[in-house]
Amino acid sequence: MRVLPLAILVACQQDTGFSSGTDDQVSGENGTMVLTPTYLLFDDLSPSYAKSATFNVASTGDEQLEIYQARVIANPGGVFTFEDKTEVLINPGSSVDWAVALYVTAEGKYEGSIRIDSNDATTPQVVLDMCGVTLGWSEPCGTDDPGDSGADGE
């Protein structure tokens, strides 16, 4: 009988809750991410010395924030060091601090970026730009976030 497979096929075409779109997300619940600061500035660098900075990822919504991935996406010369993150869950009202280090061996201006992919419905992908400049270098970094960058010398 060939009627049975047809009946099963018709029954499977009901709404199953799965998306046929191109999104990687299937979950219907979304967190809300706030990133502080929105720009990391490493100023007054001395060659052959490391400088570090931290940034905060907070879950401010009513649902759990899921960070699918956080990693450096722009790092000319490999001067920025950041431990890639995957599958990080942050409960509503909680946050995590992550550190980035910059180590340069020559004078100059150094720029990089970290991309964070999450289940935030409004901004599922955020890019954190970073810039470092050595002492006395003529071209300064931009000031996208002129507040305290949290950078500490080592």
Side-chain angles (χ1 to χ4, degrees):
M1 279 187 178
R2 296 197 182 262
V3 176
L4 183 58
L6 181 59
I8 292 172
L9 179 63
V10 171
C12 288
Q13 290 187 9
Q14 293 178 356
D15 186 357
T16 61
F18 291 102
S19 171
S20 61
T22 59
D23 290 345
D24 290 337
Q25 296 176 192
V26 177
S27 171
E29 303 297 326
N30 294 86
T32 304
M33 177 173 47
V34 173
L35 187 65
T36 311
T38 57
Y39 181 77
L40 288 180
L41 176 63
F42 300 81
D43 55 357
D44 298 331
L45 294 169
S46 295
S48 300
Y49 286 93
K51 203 166 198 180
S52 64
T54 58
F55 63 96
N56 182 273
V57 180
S59 176
T60 61
D62 294 330
E63 301 298 330
Q64 189 174 54
L65 176 66
E66 182 175 358
I67 305 296
Y68 303 125
Q69 181 178 42
R71 66 183 185 91
V72 174
I73 58 169
N75 192 8
V79 295
F80 291 98
T81 304
F82 175 72
E83 183 180 334
D84 291 354
K85 313 292 183 196
T86 56
E87 302 302 322
V88 176
L89 301 176
I90 306 171
N91 289 322
S94 297
S95 66
V96 295
D97 289 325
W98 289 335
V100 182
L102 174 59
Y103 178 78
V104 299
T105 58
E107 291 184 352
K109 179 179 177 181
Y110 301 87
E111 296 177 296
S113 299
I114 293 174
R115 184 180 71 209
I116 303 170
D117 298 310
S118 73
N119 70 336
D120 185 307
T122 307
T123 314
Q125 188 176 89
V126 174
V127 175
L128 173 66
D129 291 320
M130 307 174 288
C131 184
V133 65
T134 56
L135 283 167
W137 191 252
S138 60
E139 184 183 356
C141 290
T143 55
D144 289 355
D145 186 3
D148 182 14
S149 68
D152 298 317
E154 292 191 5

